[in-house]
Every structure is written in structure tokens, then in C-alpha cells.
């Protein structure tokens, strides 16, 4: 029976980055996914790396710090899988011109006239250009990240912990990291309320040269190394209270809705940004990303919600109980809710999580599982499912 230091469950951006970090630190790492590498949200991702505009706040500070870190990381590790040519941000209903103008990140306004001089194919748009933006090949990046780890195509349905090890059919691991995306977690974590948001990405052949990524309500990429471009958007939020979330599910309206209709909508919105000539759709991807209300991702030890409240019922009334006193599942960690910028945030999150596990470094409060635990425990009239 093989013995690993870590098993990571989920081979998306979160799991693969965690596996790579641990493996580089000299640990023996296995990674399991029921569908394959980058088969969930990560496989459907446009994998745009772009800044978050707007007046500075704690969330965009975190995203923009993570972007600096990940651009450096991917450029060093995966030169062949990244195209860094900047992004043109066009105002939309969430980011109107006023918001884009009061911006904490360095950018340059480009008028319609100037855009037309760059390419006649631009529609009547203007926008703000950010240099620090790129697009990745998500499948290759995930595969490369875990090339030194053992991969198991395996649906992990339960965790069995005995004598300091998690036991599986033909291997065991001392520690486990859950990186499951929108899929129902294998241990109860009611305080992490994941909402899946569904989206579509298409790869397109075109003779048009797209000079940089363009982002409005959808994203159109620059030409990648194989000269194709990607067009993608995530928009449909679903309530999972009545269904168990699977990445492709015949109970889910998103997947039963016409794929053709979703592709046509993307192409229509793309044409409002730039005219793509001799266009041919070569591949369609659909998937869901995991988001929670606070928008911040969550990393850390997995708290046993019921046991912790049984031990300290007064937490519900606001009594301060130190995180160290809560009950945790043994050697079990989570990295999830990466939101719309999963490839931007994953390298930094993996580092922060693994530094907590290996070096006892404290996780920033806004990212911690404890923050969500206390929030739910103290909420009035809570319903635990
Ligand atoms: C259409 C679309 C476009 C996007 N565009 C961008 C973008 O441009 N830039 C960006 O940075 N981000 C983008 N995102 C978001 C990004 O893709 C996600 O935030 C990120 O991929 C989440 O990674 P993850 O590893 O947490 O989850 P996932 O990639 O979903 O991985 C979770 C994996 O866990 C596996 N799994 C779950 N449970 C089990 C189990 N019990 N046993 C075995 N395996 C299990 C699943 O099979 C899945 O492969 C986009 C997302 C979508 C859907």
C-alpha cells in the first residue's frame, strides 16, 4: 500500500496549485479527481488573468496582489502556456465609466478613434487598458503543475481516518486537502455556502488579429499561441438548495438549455466588441465556478461545525471562543470558493494554505474558514442542513 503525505481531492486550479506547492516542498503528494485533470470549472475557464478595477477596497487589494503573484508564477513556470498582452476594460452595468475612472490601478484610456487605428475591426467602443493581464491554457497548466505527483482517477465518496491516516482502496495519506469546487463536499461544512455560477467558453478560429484581451460582460481573448481566441462568460447563478451540484447534470437548467443558444449569445456579445472574420467555433466548454457571498475564497483547516457548537453552545450568543479551541476534522484542509478569478488567486492561496499547514503561518482572517464558521454560528435563526 502506497503512503502519501497528502492526498488532494479535486484536480482543478485549486487542487493542482496546492499539490505543486507541497511537492516542491519535498512532500509525497497524490491527487484524485473523479473526472480527470481540469475537468470541472477549471477546464471551462477562459483562464484570463486580469486586474480588478475600482476604488481600493480589501477585496480588490487581495485580487490585485494575487494577480501580481500569479503573473510572476506562471511566467516563470509556464512560458509556453501564457500570453501576456494586456486587457481593455469596457464599461458595463457593473463597472460604469465613473467607476473605471476612479481606479486604483494604473491604466490608460483608449478612445474609439485610437482603437480603430489599432484595428478597423473594433466596434464603436472605448475603454481602459491595463498592461498587467494575460490568458493561460488552463488544461496544460493544471497538467504541468501535477506532473511530479501521482494522479488517481477516483471518486472519493467518504473519508476513513484510522491511526493517523486517511485510508483509500490502495493507498493512504496523512493529510487531505479538499479542493472540490462546486461539488458537494465529502464532509459537512455548512458554514461554507457555495453557490455555483455557470458559464460557457468557446475556442474560435478567426483570421482577425485581436491585439489584446477585451473585457465587458464577456471576455474576448487575444490570439493565443495557436492563433485561436477564446470567448467566455459566467453568468447563471443557481440555487443548489434543491439539487446536488454536479458539473454536468441533467437536472440542471443550464445544461438542458440549448448549447447552441448559449454560443450564439456569446458570439453576438463578442461582435459588439470586435468583428471576428472567417469565424469557426472549434470547441465549446461549459462549467461552474464556486462563489460565496463574501466573494473571498476560503482556505484553512476544516472545522467540525456540529461538534464545535456542542462543545461551546455559547458561541451562538456571541461568546468569544478562540479558534484553537474549536473541534477540527483531523489533518483535513480546504481550498475553495475561488470565484471568477480562480486562476488568478490559486497560486497565492495554495502558498498561504500550505504555509499554514507546514510552517504554522496564520491565514489572513478574510480568507479563513474560521471567519465563516463564526459568522454562521452567530447568525440568528440559523438552519443547519
Ligand atoms: C465558464 C467559466 C469561465 C471562467 N473564466 C475564468 C477566467 O477567465 N479567469 C479565472 O481566473 N477564472 C475563471 N473562471 C473561474 C475558475 O475557473 C474557477 O474559479 C476555478 O477553476 C475553480 O477551481 P477549483 O479547483 O476550485 O474547482 P474545479 O476546477 O471545479 O475543480 C474541482 C474538481 O474536483 C473534483 N471533485 C469534486 N469532488 C470530488 C470527489 N468527491 N472525488 C473526486 N473528485 C472530486 C471535480 O471533478 C473537479 O474536477 C471561470 C469559470 C467558468 C466556469
Amino acid at each position: 500500500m502506497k503512503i502519501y503525505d497528502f492526498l488532494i481531492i479535486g484536480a482543478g486550479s485549486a487542487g493542482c496549485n496546492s499539490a505543486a506547492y507541497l511537492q516542491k516542498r519535498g512532500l509525497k503528494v497524490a491527487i484524485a479527481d473523479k473526472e480527470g485533470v481540469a475537468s470541472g470549472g477549471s477546464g471551462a475557464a477562459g483562464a484570463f488573468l486580469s486586474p480588478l478595477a475600482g476604488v481600493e477596497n480589501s477585496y480588490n487589494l487581495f485580487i490585485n496582489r494575487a494577480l501580481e503573484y500569479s503573473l510572476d508564477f506562471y511566467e516563470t513556470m509556464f512560458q509556453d502556456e501564457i500570453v501576456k498582452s494586456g486587457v481593455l476594460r469596457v464599461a458595463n452595468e457593473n463597472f460604469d465609466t465613473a467607476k473605471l475612472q476612479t481606479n486604483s490601478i494604473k491604466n490608460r484610456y483608449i478612445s474609439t478613434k485610437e482603437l480603430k487605428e489599432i484595428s478597423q475591426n473594433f466596434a464603436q467602443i472605448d475603454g481602459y487598458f491595463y498592461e498587467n493581464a494575460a490568458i493561460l491554457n488552463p488544461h496544460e497548466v493544471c497538467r504541468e503543475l501535477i506532473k511530479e505527483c501521482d494522479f488517481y482517477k477516483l471518486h472519493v465518496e467518504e473519508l476513513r481516518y484510522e491511526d493517523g491516516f486517511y485510508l483509500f482502496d490502495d493507498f493512504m495519506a496523512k493529510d487531505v486537502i479538499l479542493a472540490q469546487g462546486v461539488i458537494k463536499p465529502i464532509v459537512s461544512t455548512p458554514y461554507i455556502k457555495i453557490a455555483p455560477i455557470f458559464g460557457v467558453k468557446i475556442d474560435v478560429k478567426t483570421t482577425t488579429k485581436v491585439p489584446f484581451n477585451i473585457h465587458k460582460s464577456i471576455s474576448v481573448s487575444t490570439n493565443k499561441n495557436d492563433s485561436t481566441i477564446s470567448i467566455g462568460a459566467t453568468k447563471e447563478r443557481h440555487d443548489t438548495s434543491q439539487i446536488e451540484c454536479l458539473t454536468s447534470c441533467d437536472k440542471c437548467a443550464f445544461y438542458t438549455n440549448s448549447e447552441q443558444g448559449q454560443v450564439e449569445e456569446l458570439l453576438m456579445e463578442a461582435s459588439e466588441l470586435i468583428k471576428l472574420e472567417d469565424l469557426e467555433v472549434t470547441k465549446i466548454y461549459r462549467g461552474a465556478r464556486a462563489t460565496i457571498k463574501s466573494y473571498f475564497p476560503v482556505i484553512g483547516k476544516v472545522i467540525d461545525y456540529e461538534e464545535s457548537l456542542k462543545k461551546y453552545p455559547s458561541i451562538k450568543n456571541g461568546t468569544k471562543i478562540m479558534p484553537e479551541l474549536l473541534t477540527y476534522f483531523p489533518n483535513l484542509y480546504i481550498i475553495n470558493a475561488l470565484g471568477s478569478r480562480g486562476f488568478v488567486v490559486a497560486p497565492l492561496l495554495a502558498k498561504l494554505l500550505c504555509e499554514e499547514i507546514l510552517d504554522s503561518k496564520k491565514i489572513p482572517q478574510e480568507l479563513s474558514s474560521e471567519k465563516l464558521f463564526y459568522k454562521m454560528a452567530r447568525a440568528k435563526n440559523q438552519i443547519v442542513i
Side-chain angles (χ1 to χ4, degrees), residues 44 182 198-199 236 238 245-259 262 285-288:
V182 296
F198 292 80
E236 284 192 45
H238 284 207
C245 186
L246 305 165
T247 39
S248 58
C249 175
D250 58 11
K251 290 188 209 125
C252 172
F254 177 78
Y255 289 104
T256 52
N257 282 345
S258 144
E259 186 177 80
Q262 292 164 344
Y285 306 84
R286 299 197 289 178

Side-chain angles (χ1 to χ4, degrees), residues 9-16 32-50 154-158 179-186 197-201 219 232-234 247 285-290 335-346:
I9 300 175
S13 173
C16 292
D33 198 298
K34 62 189 177 60
E35 287 172 46
V37 180
S39 303
S42 300
F48 292 90
L49 307 176
S50 31
L154 175 72
H155 187 183
V156 183
E157 294 185 78
E158 59 171 2
Q180 293 182 258
V182 296
I183 310 291
K184 191 173 181 232
I186 45 181
I197 299 187
F198 292 80
V200 188
K201 178 184 77 164
S219 299
T234 51
T247 39
Y285 306 84
R286 299 197 289 178
R289 62 177 166 87
I335 174 166
N336 208 336
L338 272 58
S340 62
R341 284 179 164 79
F343 281 87
V344 175
V345 295

Side-chain angles (χ1 to χ4, degrees), residues 84 95 106 176 260 265 304 318 325 333 335:
K84 188 176 172 212
F95 268 93
K106 199 170 146 244
V176 168
Q260 195 50 35
E265 203 182 316
D304 186 331
L325 297 174
Y333 306 89
I335 174 166

Side-chain angles (χ1 to χ4, degrees), residues 1-19:
M1 182 169 275
K2 271 195 149 179
I3 303 178
Y4 294 98
D5 295 306
F6 280 86
L7 171 72
I8 320 289
I9 300 175
S13 173
C16 292
N17 271 286
S18 305

